Amino acid sequence: MYSTEIEVRTGGSAVVHDLTKEAERFLGESSAGDGLLHVWVPHATAGLAILETGAGSDEDLLTALDELLPRDDRWRHQHGSRGHGRDHVLPALVPPYATVPVLGGVLALGTWQSICLVDTNLDNPVRRVRFSLLAG
């Protein structure tokens, strides 16, 4: 298995960060053929999603998460910024992993699909993302 970890700076606001180019770069470095790309975020307050970006879906996702998981004082897990407990619930809804088929060294994503890091944690502006290729 070929694997590497990258660092992503997400800043101080909720973000949907497109990782597709980084994933493609990883596949190029790995001399990938066929297999599975596994993407993992080793954090308790971030997740991964496959979705369209740039046409509003990324902002719609953040809005839906804000409505479903309000940033207020209802959360038992309380430390850091106001409402931080909701960030710890996020990975139950947006999991910290994704697996994408790789065919001939190319991600087998749909036309408008991207691999995205979803980070709503205002207290942690730096994330790690691990790419692992399981050759077929």
Side-chain angles (χ1 to χ4, degrees):
M1 178 172 68
Y2 182 70
S3 186
T4 195
E5 191 172 85
I6 65 169
E7 184 176 279
V8 177
R9 296 194 174 276
T10 57
S13 61
V15 65
V16 175
H17 177 86
D18 191 341
L19 296 167
T20 309
K21 295 291 183 208
E22 288 98 330
E24 291 169 342
R25 189 173 310 113
F26 166 77
L27 292 176
E29 293 168 359
S30 71
S31 301
D34 293 346
L36 294 173
L37 173 67
H38 184 74
V39 187
W40 170 250
V41 180
H43 296 280
T45 58
L48 293 161
I50 306 290
L51 75 155
E52 179 181 4
T53 60
S57 298
D58 36 0
E59 290 300 320
D60 288 342
L61 174 58
L62 292 176
T63 299
L65 290 171
D66 283 343
E67 291 173 5
L68 187 61
L69 305 171
R71 189 171 294 287
D72 59 22
D73 295 326
R74 75 182 67 201
W75 308 101
R76 289 187 184 107
H77 184 109
Q78 293 188 7
H79 69 85
S81 62
R82 182 173 189 263
H84 176 67
R86 71 88 174 245
D87 299 324
H88 286 273
V89 176
L90 174 82
L93 303 174
V94 182
Y97 57 85
T99 303
V100 178
V102 176
L103 302 172
V106 177
L107 292 168
L109 291 168
T111 302
W112 303 112
Q113 289 181 318
S114 296
I115 305 167
C116 297
L117 170 66
V118 180
D119 185 6
T120 61
N121 184 350
L122 308 179
D123 300 327
N124 188 354
V126 179
R127 297 304 185 152
R128 295 184 338 264
V129 177
R130 175 160 296 281
F131 296 116
S132 299
L133 177 65
L134 293 96

